[in-house]
C-alpha cells in the first residue's frame, strides 16, 4: 500500500510487493515509471506518504537508512575519491564500529569476492569503470546486509563488460544468498538475471512474475509491448 506524491505528480500509487528471502527481483520499467523512487523507499532515503514496509516481521517505514541493514549500489558508484579502494570498502564497517583487525580481513574477503584482490591501495581515479563498480559492490556486501539494493549499477559500462558483470552479479548473489532488488530499464538484463521481475509503469506495479511468464503471458497491453518484440 505504498504511495508517494510530489505535489500533483504521483510517483508511486498503492504499490504492493512481496519479496522472498534470498530472491533476485528486478524492478523493470521505462524512465519516470517510479522504480528508483520505490528503491529509495526501501533504502529509507524517501519517506512515502502512506503504506507499510516490513523486513520479515519488523516494520521499518520509520527507520533511517543506516538502521535497515541494507547495502546500496548506486548508478554513479558514489565512491569517495579521496580514499583508496580499501578505505572505501571499509567505510560501512567503520560506521558500525567493527574492530580494526576484523575490518582488514573482511575488506580483503570482499575484494576477493568481486575479483579485486590486491587492489586495496589503489586510488579510485586509477580504476576503470568496471573496477569502480566492483568496489561499490564490495562496499555494499562487506557488512553482510540482509538486503542489497542496486540502482541501474551497470548502465555506465560498455556492452561487453556489462554482460560479463551481469553474470558475475548473479553468481555473487547465489554464493551469498542475500535478497537482491535490482532496478533496470533494460528488458534483456531483467529477464536474464532475475528470479522474478516486477514491471512498473506510472507508479504502479503492472505484473510480478518469472521472466518466462512475464514474456509469454503478459498481464496487460503495456507489459506485452514493453517486454515483447
Amino acid at each position: 500500500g505504498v504511495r508517494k506524491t510530489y505535489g500533483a505528480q504521483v510517483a508511486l500509487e498503492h504499490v504492493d510487493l512481496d519479496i522472498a528471502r534470498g530472491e533476485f527481483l528486478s524492478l523493470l520499467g521505462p524512465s519516470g515509471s517510479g522504480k528508483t523512487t520505490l528503491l529509495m523507499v526501501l533504502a529509507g532515503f524517501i519517506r512515502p506518504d502512506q503504506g507499510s514496509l516490513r523486513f520479515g516481521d519488523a516494520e521499518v517505514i520509520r527507520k533511517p537508512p543506516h538502521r535497515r541493514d541494507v547495502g546500496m549500489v548506486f548508478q554513479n558508484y558514489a565512491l569517495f575519491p579521496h580514499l583508496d579502494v580499501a578505505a572505501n570498502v571499509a567505510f560501512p564497517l567503520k560506521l558500525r564500529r567493527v574492530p580494526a583487525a576484523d575490518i582488514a580481513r573482511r575488506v580483503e574477503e570482499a575484494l576477493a569476492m568481486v575479483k579485486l584482490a590486491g587492489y586495496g591501495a589503489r586510488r579510485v581515479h586509477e580504476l576503470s569503470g568496471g573496477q569502480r563498480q566492483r568496489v561499490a559492490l564490495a562496499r555494499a556486501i562487506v557488512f553482510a546486509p540482509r538486503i542489497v539494493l542496486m540502482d541501474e549499477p551497470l548502465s555506465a559500462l560498455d556492452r561487453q563488460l556489462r554482460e560479463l558483470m551481469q553474470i558475475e552479479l548473479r553468481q555473487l548473489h547465489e554464493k551469498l544468498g542475500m535478497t537482491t532488488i535490482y532496478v533496470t530499464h533494460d528488458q534483456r538484463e531483467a529477464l536474464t538475471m532475475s528470479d522474478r521481475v516486477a514491471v512498473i509503469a506510472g507508479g504502479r506495479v503492472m505484473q510480478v512474475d518469472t521472466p518466462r511468464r512475464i514474456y509469454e503471458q503478459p498481464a496487460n497491453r503495456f507489459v506485452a509491448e514493453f517486454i515483447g518484440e
Side-chain angles (χ1 to χ4, degrees), residues 1-17 27 32-43 46-53 61 183 199-205:
V2 169
R3 188 171 197 268
K4 179 64 181 175
T5 59
Y6 295 99
Q9 183 186 358
V10 178
L12 297 172
E13 182 64 272
H14 200 85
V15 171
D16 288 328
L17 264 181
L27 305 177
S33 59
K35 57 191 185 297
T36 295
T37 302
L38 179 55
L39 196 78
M40 295 299 144
V41 167
L42 297 177
I46 292 175
R47 174 78 64 84
D49 302 325
Q50 61 189 62
S52 172
L53 177 62
I61 205 86
V183 164
V199 180
I200 298 176
R204 294 177 180 270
V205 176

Side-chain angles (χ1 to χ4, degrees), residues 49-70:
D49 302 325
Q50 61 189 62
S52 172
L53 177 62
R54 294 191 187 95
F55 293 172
D57 295 326
E59 176 61 65
V60 300
I61 205 86
R62 295 183 179 277
K63 275 192 176 180
H66 65 280
R67 296 190 59 204
R68 293 195 181 190
D69 197 19
V70 165

Side-chain angles (χ1 to χ4, degrees), residues 66-80:
H66 65 280
R67 296 190 59 204
R68 293 195 181 190
D69 197 19
V70 165
M72 184 86 194
V73 182
F74 295 94
Q75 185 175 353
N76 63 352
Y77 318 139
L79 299 175
F80 301 114

Side-chain angles (χ1 to χ4, degrees), residues 78-92 94 119-127 135 139:
L79 299 175
F80 301 114
H82 63 291
L83 299 178
D84 63 19
V85 166
N88 266 283
V89 176
F91 188 75
K94 288 184 176 177
Y119 277 72
R122 295 272 185 102
R123 311 299 293 189
V124 170
H125 67 83
E126 296 174 332
L127 304 177
V135 174
R139 186 179 59 187

